[in-house]
């Protein structure tokens, strides 16, 4: 057992332990209310970055940035970047904030966030609820430093949107404050948004974004429900317009067989363990289609180091968490990194980069 003296030198461990102790209480609350409390705590709590270095085997350099480890926080957890400072000190290799839209947006009527505990999943139909671009940029500008790479996930308003106008404007606004920007055309909760994955519309958006001076690396977040032909068109559009990567993928509107939770029939996007296999298939297919032209970030159902290695072997250079973090809190991060380092070694890989895409052909077959 750690002594008081040793704990004093491990503030991140103390935060993880405290957060983990609160999780049973938060789980008894409405899911969206609990989420809001967690964000406020991360914003207000004095979180100091752990001084324990990550295993060197976890380091990877992609997108022109160095990542101490490949485990990141997915968009959707901190839409307004209100807790970005605290989140960047929890041990993640990177975090992604947003989705942010040009104007503030309340999102869809409540309730709109549902735990599927028996399935280790979440269904959301939030609808890009966020404080808007001006407030978001103020939060980013107020960050004293960026101890890990920071991404901005960008979307359009439900009403009055002009994607070819709005996405470049969003990229330009966040460019001074982030390490990469994500064009989100895959949320199922904004009517018509997924239609922007169509080749003609996506090429128009990406062509306009390519004209933004001083833009950071740009990625596109895709739906796991894309057909193979649709995915191939997205990959080629991205490669043709200087996009650096893909995030595969967003939540799914499908409902796999065997879901046990009472809320499984709720409308919205499904994340967590039920998304794992589908997201791995789309990720692997994207890796094979990209042929080294795009950096891939894998997201969907990661709860362990073995899950993270599966994503990496399917084609991901980086891996993101959302549902796993929502269920297990900050204590998940050091455990997952330790498990990933051990899993890499057990599989015969000296470093993350060596494992990327090594099983893509296998996973692409679904």
């Amino acid at each position: 057992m750690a002594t008081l003296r040793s704990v004093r030198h491990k503030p991140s461990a103390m935060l993880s332990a405290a957060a983990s102790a609160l999780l049973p209480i938060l789980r008894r609350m409405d899911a969206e209310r609990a989420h809001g409390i967690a964000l406020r705590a991360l914003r207000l709590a004095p979180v100091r970055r752990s001084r324990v270095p990550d295993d060197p085997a976890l380091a990877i350099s992609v997108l022109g940035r160095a990542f101490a480890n490949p485990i990141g926080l997915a968009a959707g957890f901190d839409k307004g970047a209100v807790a970005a400072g605290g989140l960047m000190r929890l041990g993640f290799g990177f975090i992604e904030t947003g989705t942010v839209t040009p104007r503030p947006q309340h999102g869809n009527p409540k309730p709109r966030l549902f735990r599927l505990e028996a399935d280790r999943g979440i269904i959301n139909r939030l609808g890009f609820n966020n404080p808007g671009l001006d407030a978001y940029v103020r939060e980013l500008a107020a960050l004293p430093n960026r101890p890990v790479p920071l991404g901005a996930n960008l979307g359009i308003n439900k009403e009055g949107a002009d994607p070819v106008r709005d996405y470049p404007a969003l990229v330009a606004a966040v460019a001074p404050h982030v390490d990469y920007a994500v064009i989100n055309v895959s949320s199922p909760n904004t009517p018509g948004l997924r239609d922007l994955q169509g080749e003609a519309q996506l090429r128009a958006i990406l062509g306009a974004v390519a004209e933004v001076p001083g833009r950071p690396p740009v990625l596109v977040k895709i739906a796991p429900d894309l057909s193979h032909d649709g995915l191939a068109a997205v990959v080629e559009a991205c490669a043709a317009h200087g996009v650096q990567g893909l995030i595969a993928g967003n939540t799914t509107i499908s409902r796999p067989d065997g879901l046990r939770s009472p809320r499984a029939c709720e409308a919205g996007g499904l994340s967590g363990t039920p998304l794992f296999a589908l997201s791995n298939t789309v990720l692997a297919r994207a890796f094979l289609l990209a042929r080294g032209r795009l950096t891939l970030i894998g997201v969907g159902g990661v709860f362990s180091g073995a899950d993270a290695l599966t994503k990496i072997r399917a084609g991901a250079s980086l891996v993101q968490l959302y549902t796993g973090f929502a269920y297990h809190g900050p204590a998940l991060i050091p455990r997952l990194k330790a498990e990933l380092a051990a899993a890499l070694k057990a599989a015969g890989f000296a470093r993350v980069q060596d494992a990327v895409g090594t099983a893509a052909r296998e996973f692409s077959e679904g």
Side-chain angles (χ1 to χ4, degrees):
M1 181 181 294
T3 65
L4 179 60
R5 178 181 295 273
S6 67
V7 168
R8 281 179 182 150
H9 292 283
K10 297 178 181 178
S12 294
M14 290 178 65
L15 177 67
S16 295
S20 296
L22 287 172
L23 282 174
I25 298 172
L26 293 176
R27 282 189 192 140
R28 290 197 290 270
M29 298 180 182
D30 168 78
E32 189 166 354
R33 183 183 175 210
H35 187 92
I37 291 171
L39 282 176
R40 285 194 293 275
L42 284 164
R43 180 180 178 89
L44 298 173
V47 183
R48 278 190 256 167
R49 193 179 182 191
S50 172
R51 296 180 181 177
V52 179
D54 290 334
D55 190 314
L58 299 181
I60 188 168
S61 293
V62 290
L63 302 173
R65 307 295 191 271
F67 297 77
N69 72 77
I71 306 302
L73 178 65
F77 191 86
D78 185 4
K79 293 174 183 286
V82 297
L87 288 165
M88 284 192 287
R89 289 168 174 79
L90 292 180
F92 286 111
F94 66 108
I95 72 163
E96 188 175 313
T97 53
T99 299
V100 65
T101 57
R103 300 181 307 284
Q105 189 161 271
H106 292 297
N108 293 321
K110 298 179 182 180
R112 54 192 184 178
L113 185 64
F114 309 94
R115 302 184 190 97
L116 277 59
E117 294 195 27
D119 304 298
R120 296 200 304 177
I122 290 174
I123 290 175
N124 94 80
R125 51 173 181 264
L126 293 163
F128 283 173
N129 57 310
N130 75 99
L133 181 62
D134 290 346
Y136 178 81
V137 169
R138 284 196 298 271
E139 294 288 353
L140 296 181
L143 291 171
N145 55 65
R146 299 201 298 265
V148 299
L150 172 65
N153 192 287
L154 312 174
I156 55 173
N157 289 103
K158 183 176 180 179
E159 298 177 352
D162 179 343
V164 176
R165 174 199 67 198
D166 293 344
Y167 281 113
L170 288 160
V171 171
V174 304
H177 310 293
V178 299
D179 296 284
Y180 69 90
V182 181
I183 306 301
N184 187 341
V185 288
S186 53
S187 170
N189 300 313
T190 296
L193 187 76
R194 286 191 168 192
D195 295 340
L196 301 181
Q197 294 173 118
E199 185 172 8
Q201 291 173 291
L202 185 59
R203 283 181 179 271
I205 292 166
L206 297 181
V209 168
E211 299 300 319
V212 176
R215 67 188 181 281
V218 172
L219 295 87
V220 172
K221 188 164 187 175
I222 60 174
D225 308 305
L226 275 174
S227 68
H228 190 274
D229 288 346
L231 177 61
V234 167
V235 168
E236 292 308 316
C238 289
H241 289 284
V243 169
Q244 280 76 26
L246 288 175
I247 300 181
N250 214 316
T251 56
T252 179
I253 57 174
S254 67
R255 296 293 184 267
D257 293 335
L259 294 177
R260 296 172 292 160
S261 301
R263 294 287 198 172
C265 60
E266 293 285 351
L270 172 65
S271 63
T273 296
L275 177 59
F276 188 63
L278 175 62
S279 60
N280 292 342
T281 299
V282 173
L283 171 65
R285 289 174 179 172
F287 177 83
L288 295 173
L289 288 164
R291 303 190 307 279
R293 295 173 291 173
L294 301 170
T295 295
L296 301 186
I297 299 179
V299 58
V302 175
F303 281 78
S304 69
D307 293 340
L309 181 56
T310 295
K311 294 282 184 195
I312 292 164
R313 295 199 67 199
S317 295
L318 302 170
V319 175
Q320 290 181 327
L321 313 178
Y322 178 87
T323 303
F325 184 65
Y327 274 110
H328 296 291
L332 175 64
I333 306 164
R335 173 172 68 80
L336 199 151
K337 290 190 292 185
E339 290 175 354
L340 176 57
L344 282 167
K345 183 177 180 180
F349 299 111
R351 53 183 186 151
V352 167
Q353 188 62 58
D354 297 337
V356 175
T358 54
R361 187 70 60 184
E362 172 189 345
F363 285 110
S364 71
E365 297 172 358

